[in-house]
Amino acid sequence: MRSERQDLPTPDEASLIHSSIVLEELAKKINTNEGWINFADFMQFILYEPGLGYYSSGTRKLGTGGDFTTAPEISNFFGTCLADSIIKILHSCPKQMILEIGAGSGQLAFDILTRLDNQGFVLDQYYILELSADLKDRQQRLLAKLPNNLLEKVTWLDSLPENFITGVILGNEVLDAMPCRRFRIQDEDIYEIGVSCTNQRLIEQDKLADKIIKDSVHKIEKELNRKFANGFISEIRLDYKHWFTALSSSLASGVIMFIDYGCSRGEYYSADRSTGTLVCHYQNMAHYDSLFLPGVQDLSAWVDFSLVADVGLEHGFKVETYTSHRDFLSSAGILELVDEISDQNERFKINQAVKQLLLPGQMGDTFKFMLLSKDCIIEDSFMEARDFRYLL
């Protein structure tokens, strides 16, 4: 559900207190930086600052009572389909490993491990890289319900291992939470949108963009063969290269699977999307006030999958697949899983959940699936989903 700020639920006292502490510390950071920080630094602070950021605090983030709901919470068929696809890849790996980055509630790990076991597939290790102490605790409590032979496969990491993983690195709704910088076209020049603080109140403030931002925007315009109009606002992520360097160093051989909401560069920077893709989530309601309750609400932006592909190629990966959420899950057999349910009441319930994953107006077309490989042969028959790589 999307909402105007005035329609959002009233924060409880604990949220207000936490947000006021975050604001106080953020104001100090802004003031020591000549009264202005770029949006990526703002996003990094309010989401990830130790002990303060949204993902570092104890608020409930996922599912009922949380701020947003991801595919694993909607239906365990999502994890089942991923597991069946992963099996096809792991068969060719010398050691069968999975590394999940940002495992949320742990539900996806639970479903994948359960499906692998049900299919008789023996996994060597399931690693979870989780920066949030709160989410790590939730993951551990949920995965403790697994049989011991599966639970002993799970290890939590604090950082990416070096040249170690052979198998699958999995990122479900990870890229969208990576900090982004924002720009605005004004008077035929490029300005960067940042954040200032006046009288303990956060405000957006523009400043003339630096060379890095200007060069990046001009490169996008050149690739699109058009200039952005005055007033156009959007985001750009400049940290993918650094992150992919770490991912490439971590993956000895295998694949990376990304599932996230986003689109190709041409769609991302289309004239119809002139206010950008930034979105906030609070109490399962979406809105667009990024300065509301810092440290208490989630903040993310869509993924430019063309950029992901470009950076992946630069780091020696091959783009094997780029398709929609709906096409991936359909090709992975989600409808066949529904057909296997004999109880009519249960089937109706599952159907409602699966609709959320497949319908174009929900997650079906908004979310995309991308598979990148490194020193790994992927069979042509791996996936029969429609191939949208030509859009990249």
Side-chain angles (χ1 to χ4, degrees):
M1 178 184 295
R2 299 197 179 278
S3 175
E4 298 297 329
R5 175 168 169 173
Q6 60 266 28
D7 296 329
L8 295 174
T10 302
D12 58 27
E13 185 176 358
S15 296
L16 291 172
I17 291 172
H18 179 74
S19 188
S20 68
I21 296 171
V22 173
L23 177 57
E24 183 178 346
E25 294 302 314
L26 179 60
K28 292 177 184 177
K29 177 180 177 67
I30 292 172
N31 291 334
T32 57
N33 199 60
E34 300 181 353
W36 185 92
I37 58 174
N38 66 47
F39 199 83
D41 289 342
F42 166 74
M43 196 169 170
Q44 177 71 33
F45 191 95
I46 66 168
L47 293 182
Y48 302 108
E49 184 69 10
L52 295 174
Y54 177 76
Y55 287 104
S56 303
S57 64
T59 55
R60 184 172 179 83
K61 300 164 180 66
L62 294 134
T64 303
D67 296 315
F68 54 92
T69 301
T70 61
E73 277 75 43
I74 293 172
S75 171
N76 63 354
F77 282 0
F78 176 76
T80 298
C81 289
L82 269 176
D84 289 348
S85 299
I86 286 171
I87 287 174
K88 297 177 183 178
I89 295 165
L90 291 180
H91 274 307
S92 63
C93 297
K95 283 193 173 182
Q96 288 76 41
M97 302 178 183
I98 298 173
L99 167 60
E100 185 179 356
I101 301 175
S105 67
Q107 187 65 54
L108 182 56
F110 188 97
D111 294 338
I112 289 175
L113 286 163
T114 300
R115 179 64 171 185
L116 294 180
D117 188 54
N118 290 341
Q119 296 294 92
F121 187 90
V122 180
L123 188 70
D124 286 307
Q125 200 74 43
Y126 197 110
Y127 295 100
I128 295 176
L129 176 60
E130 183 57 66
L131 301 179
S132 167
D134 167 55
L135 289 176
K136 180 179 178 181
D137 178 66
R138 287 190 63 188
Q139 294 157 15
Q140 290 175 334
R141 283 187 280 115
L142 176 60
L143 296 179
K145 299 176 183 178
L146 288 169
N148 287 336
N149 67 307
L150 299 182
L151 181 59
E152 66 186 11
K153 306 284 187 182
V154 183
T155 301
W156 278 264
L157 304 174
D158 296 321
S159 60
L160 287 169
E162 185 71 21
N163 194 33
F164 183 71
I165 300 298
T166 61
V168 175
I169 295 179
L170 177 60
N172 179 51
E173 294 197 51
V174 170
L175 295 174
D176 65 275
M178 294 182 69
C180 58
R181 293 173 75 170
R182 302 178 70 204
F183 66 90
R184 185 196 315 268
I185 307 300
Q186 199 64 45
D187 301 326
E188 299 184 355
D189 210 337
I190 303 168
Y191 289 80
E192 181 165 12
I193 301 171
V195 178
S196 297
C197 186
T198 303
N199 298 323
Q200 290 297 103
R201 187 173 66 89
L202 297 175
I203 56 173
E204 278 191 1
Q205 188 173 60
D206 296 358
K207 64 183 294 187
L208 200 61
D210 60 22
K211 186 177 186 300
I212 294 174
I213 292 293
K214 285 190 173 184
D215 287 349
S216 298
V217 173
H218 287 318
K219 181 181 178 183
I220 294 168
E221 289 180 321
K222 184 177 180 181
E223 291 178 4
L224 298 179
N225 196 31
R226 61 179 171 81
K227 289 279 189 180
F228 293 127
N230 271 331
F232 186 89
I233 296 172
S234 197
E235 307 83 30
I236 189 166
R237 288 186 169 98
L238 304 174
D239 51 1
Y240 277 168
K241 288 187 178 182
H242 174 75
W243 195 57
F244 261 88
T245 299
L247 284 178
S248 182
S249 297
S250 182
L251 185 66
S253 64
V255 304
I256 304 177
M257 290 180 171
F258 287 127
I259 306 102
D260 226 315
Y261 51 94
C263 49
S264 66
R265 182 170 297 129
E267 298 167 285
Y268 196 99
Y269 295 107
S270 71
D272 293 338
R273 195 171 276 114
S274 61
T275 57
T277 70
L278 196 72
V279 64
C280 313
H281 288 94
Y282 178 67
Q283 302 267 325
N284 265 307
M285 299 183 77
H287 68 101
Y288 304 100
D289 186 352
S290 59
L291 307 183
F292 174 67
L293 283 182
V296 175
Q297 70 167 351
D298 182 42
L299 180 60
S300 60
W302 282 32
V303 177
D304 172 3
F305 275 101
S306 296
L307 178 60
V308 177
D310 288 346
V311 176
L313 290 170
E314 289 175 15
H315 285 78
F317 290 90
K318 179 183 177 183
V319 182
E320 299 281 358
T321 302
Y322 172 64
T323 191
S324 70
H325 202 255
R326 172 171 47 121
D327 283 283
F328 162 65
L329 291 174
S330 296
S331 71
I334 194 169
L335 296 178
E336 287 77 6
L337 291 172
V338 174
D339 288 340
E340 292 174 6
I341 301 171
S342 56
D343 183 271
Q344 292 302 312
N345 291 330
E346 182 66 16
R347 180 182 288 201
F348 176 79
K349 180 180 176 182
I350 294 295
N351 261 325
Q352 297 308 110
V354 169
K355 283 180 181 179
Q356 285 186 258
L357 300 177
L358 299 183
L359 286 178
Q362 302 209 29
M363 299 177 74
D365 287 341
T366 304
F367 278 66
K368 304 298 190 301
F369 175 91
M370 177 174 276
L371 182 73
L372 305 170
S373 68
K374 175 188 175 185
D375 297 330
C376 176
I377 297 175
I378 305 297
E379 299 294 335
D380 291 339
S381 60
F382 165 71
M383 186 176 296
E384 298 178 358
R386 287 186 296 173
D387 188 353
F388 295 137
R389 283 179 294 180
Y390 70 93
L391 293 173
L392 298 171

